[in-house]
Amino acid sequence: MIGIDTTAIRLMKYKDTLKKLKSLGLVKVFSDNLADSIGVSPSLVRKDFSFFDISGYKRGGYYIDELLEKLNVVLGRNTLHKLVIAGAGKLGLALCNYKGFQDEYIKILALFDIDEEKVNPESPIPILPAESLRAFVAEHRVTLGIITVPEDAAQRTADNMILGGIKGILNFTPLQIRVPKKCVVNTVNLELELDNLIFQISGKNINGKGETGDAEE
Amino acid sequence: MIGIDTTAIRLMKYKDTLKKLKSLGLVKVFSDNLADSIGVSPSLVRKDFSFFDISGYKRGGYYIDELLEKLNVVLGRNTLHKLVIAGAGKLGLALCNYKGFQDEYIKILALFDIDEEKVNPESPIPILPAESLRAFVAEHRVTLGIITVPEDAAQRTADNMILGGIKGILNFTPLQIRVPKKCVVNTVNLELELDNLIFQISGKNINGKGETGDAEE
DNA sequence: TAGATTGTTAATCGATTAACAATC
DNA sequence: TAGATTGTTAATCGATTAACAATC
């Protein structure tokens, strides 16, 4: 939620809608349709596409297949992304099996843990010793890493990932991780998500100053 | 990331900084200090506080203890919040043990699952059958729910939670859940977080149009 | 052709910052 | 008192929307 690019998120939502429209047999779509489906103005839809040099047909809208393909390119979904997870605790294992991460273009190669008891190279997705992280990443040219290790090991783990050649990190610790400019860290702070929920329901009960969510009647 | 109130997030960051300053022995803080620590202007810090009727002392800044207490009230951290988790899969169990959720003012009362094999009322945090969710929530006056069930059961689960009296839901399915206006749903879409990371590193490699993260050299 | 939709420029809106009077 | 910081109003900035010429 911090530093997240709102345009990219809209592109992903367009993609979702397009997939649903396609499954209904539709072939073309207008900026107006997409705008309605995700709750923005048609101008913004056109501007988003235009920004990424995706053009439609005056009077004819956009062809769904064509649009999907172009969005996939922009979103990086036309090449395979290799991924490792540091930390084979409950969260790491949960993410490893998370359905949303099973995708043609995402491959989870291994988990890593410092605890020898957890190491198991024979597991369907091997669990390897933490000290082999950097070499593994380098050898397999892994580009994405997920960090679910304890807070005090987070920065060290990130450093190793980056030395190995990882370009993007999804960080599940509440810590602010520092990386070189050429890399990206996105932090998912679950604690903050819960805090935020508590704030919102507290606000609703006490006075009108709490913010409204994405709820509807 | 969607519909999140940026002010509340800043308040939480102020709180974090304040706790750290306090642990260093500091007693007072100026809007300038807090602004630096979270990367906004001092005016915004003062405006945030002023919005919630938190006032300081001209020339004297703010007293850390006083500020922390007031922030806790605004953020709802002065009363106990009862919580249940629907779905005792890997993610549900991981969250149940998540350190960030262990807090004086948060109490996880139970998990619920439709799978009888998983049910275990004797577990430290009991795992109960899904059909008892609504009654349990009502009986214990639970106000917060976390949803980690499969997508197709998400809306039904949310409905039950709300019928039981839950006011805020943290939704881990990619589905848009509909709730009455008096309730709040925040969605943590892990799939989208990974997608977004992929977009960012793809953008960095292909052209200059990808967005930068919160990284630094 | 007439009508409809894109692509883009100008206008609006909201959030953040700068500036400054009040005052300790 | 003189100097420094708050609280708030005006200015700025960026993101979204409205409007419209181009054109299929």
Side-chain angles (χ1 to χ4, degrees):
Chain A
M1 61 253 31
I2 291 149
I4 279 188
D5 184 12
T6 57
T7 306
I9 289 179
R10 282 199 303 275
L11 294 185
M12 289 164 201
K13 289 185 186 167
Y14 299 144
K15 197 179 136 181
D16 273 358
T17 301
L18 288 168
K19 284 194 284 189
K20 280 171 192 154
L21 294 177
K22 186 182 173 175
S23 77
L24 291 171
L26 299 205
V27 173
K28 289 192 299 186
V29 70
F30 302 119
S31 59
D32 210 65
N33 305 136
L34 288 170
D36 284 345
S37 89
I38 81 159
V40 296
S41 71
S43 348
L44 187 55
V45 175
R46 297 197 293 273
K47 191 169 248 188
D48 281 342
F49 291 164
S50 152
F51 180 75
F52 290 105
D53 302 319
I54 295 175
S55 58
Y57 301 90
K58 301 222 173 191
R59 174 96 206 271
Y62 303 80
Y63 285 97
I64 292 179
D65 275 334
E66 207 176 308
L67 199 46
L68 272 172
E69 198 162 325
K70 285 175 179 169
L71 285 176
N72 276 332
V73 173
V74 170
L75 295 170
R77 285 323 193 80
N78 56 337
T79 52
L80 181 70
H81 297 276
K82 296 180 195 164
L83 174 67
V84 294
I85 300 177
K90 289 207 174 65
L91 186 56
L93 291 169
L95 293 175
C96 182
N97 289 284
Y98 183 59
K99 259 191 302 179
F101 290 180
Q102 318 302 321
D103 179 288
E104 187 182 353
Y105 292 113
I106 298 170
K107 188 162 167 58
I108 304 178
L109 295 189
L111 291 102
F112 293 85
D113 206 288
I114 205 167
D115 180 357
E116 284 180 20
E117 303 252 317
K118 286 184 181 151
V119 170
N120 177 9
E122 308 306 322
S123 153
I125 294 177
I127 304 176
L128 306 174
E131 64 262 28
S132 63
L133 171 65
R134 180 178 162 185
F136 184 96
V137 164
E139 185 188 338
H140 293 88
R141 302 193 174 283
V142 177
T143 52
L144 295 171
I146 296 182
I147 294 184
T148 68
V149 301
E151 210 171 323
D152 55 7
Q155 183 63 57
R156 192 167 62 240
T157 304
D159 293 344
N160 278 325
M161 284 182 165
I162 285 160
L163 287 170
I166 273 179
K167 293 283 175 285
I169 292 175
L170 201 53
N171 167 38
F172 281 85
T173 72
L175 214 76
Q176 167 89 350
I177 289 183
R178 319 220 143 207
V179 297
K181 275 207 202 76
K182 64 179 195 296
C183 301
V184 182
V185 184
N186 285 350
T187 297
V188 178
N189 191 335
L190 298 174
E191 195 172 340
L192 208 119
E193 299 287 346
L194 187 58
D195 285 347
N196 193 41
L197 187 66
I198 289 174
F199 164 74
Q200 288 180 62
I201 69 164
S202 302
K204 278 200 183 232
N205 296 337
I206 294 169
N207 57 39
K209 287 191 170 176
E211 199 47 41
T212 61
D214 51 13
E216 58 182 67
E217 185 65 52
Chain B
M1 62 259 20
I2 290 147
I4 281 189
D5 183 10
T6 57
T7 306
I9 289 179
R10 283 199 301 277
L11 295 184
M12 289 164 201
K13 289 185 186 168
Y14 298 145
K15 197 178 136 181
D16 272 357
T17 301
L18 288 168
K19 283 194 283 189
K20 280 171 192 154
L21 294 177
K22 186 181 173 176
S23 77
L24 291 170
L26 298 206
V27 174
K28 290 192 300 187
V29 69
F30 303 118
S31 57
D32 209 65
N33 305 137
L34 289 171
D36 284 345
S37 89
I38 80 158
V40 296
S41 71
S43 346
L44 186 54
V45 175
R46 297 197 293 274
K47 191 170 246 185
D48 282 341
F49 292 164
S50 153
F51 180 75
F52 290 105
D53 302 318
I54 295 175
S55 56
Y57 302 91
K58 302 224 172 190
R59 173 94 209 272
Y62 303 81
Y63 285 97
I64 291 179
D65 276 334
E66 208 176 307
L67 199 46
L68 271 172
E69 198 162 325
K70 285 175 179 168
L71 285 176
N72 277 331
V73 172
V74 170
L75 295 170
R77 287 321 194 81
N78 56 336
T79 52
L80 182 69
H81 298 275
K82 294 180 197 165
L83 174 65
V84 295
I85 299 176
K90 290 207 175 64
L91 185 57
L93 291 169
L95 293 175
C96 181
N97 289 284
Y98 184 60
K99 258 189 304 178
F101 290 0
Q102 318 301 320
D103 180 290
E104 188 182 354
Y105 292 112
I106 298 170
K107 190 162 165 58
I108 303 178
L109 295 189
L111 291 101
F112 293 84
D113 207 289
I114 205 167
D115 180 358
E116 284 182 18
E117 302 252 316
K118 286 185 181 153
V119 170
N120 177 9
E122 308 306 322
S123 151
I125 295 176
I127 304 175
L128 307 174
E131 64 263 26
S132 62
L133 171 65
R134 180 177 162 186
F136 183 97
V137 165
E139 185 189 336
H140 293 87
R141 302 190 174 285
V142 177
T143 52
L144 295 171
I146 295 182
I147 293 184
T148 68
V149 301
E151 212 171 320
D152 55 7
Q155 183 63 56
R156 192 168 61 242
T157 304
D159 293 344
N160 277 327
M161 284 181 166
I162 285 160
L163 288 170
I166 273 179
K167 293 283 174 286
I169 292 175
L170 201 52
N171 166 38
F172 281 84
T173 73
L175 214 77
Q176 167 88 349
I177 290 183
R178 318 220 144 209
V179 297
K181 275 207 204 75
K182 64 180 196 296
C183 300
V184 182
V185 185
N186 285 350
T187 297
V188 178
N189 190 335
L190 298 175
E191 195 173 340
L192 207 119
E193 298 286 347
L194 186 58
D195 285 347
N196 192 42
L197 186 66
I198 289 174
F199 164 74
Q200 288 180 62
I201 68 164
S202 302
K204 277 198 183 236
N205 296 338
I206 293 168
N207 56 39
K209 286 189 169 176
E211 199 48 41
T212 60
D214 52 11
E216 55 180 70
E217 185 66 54

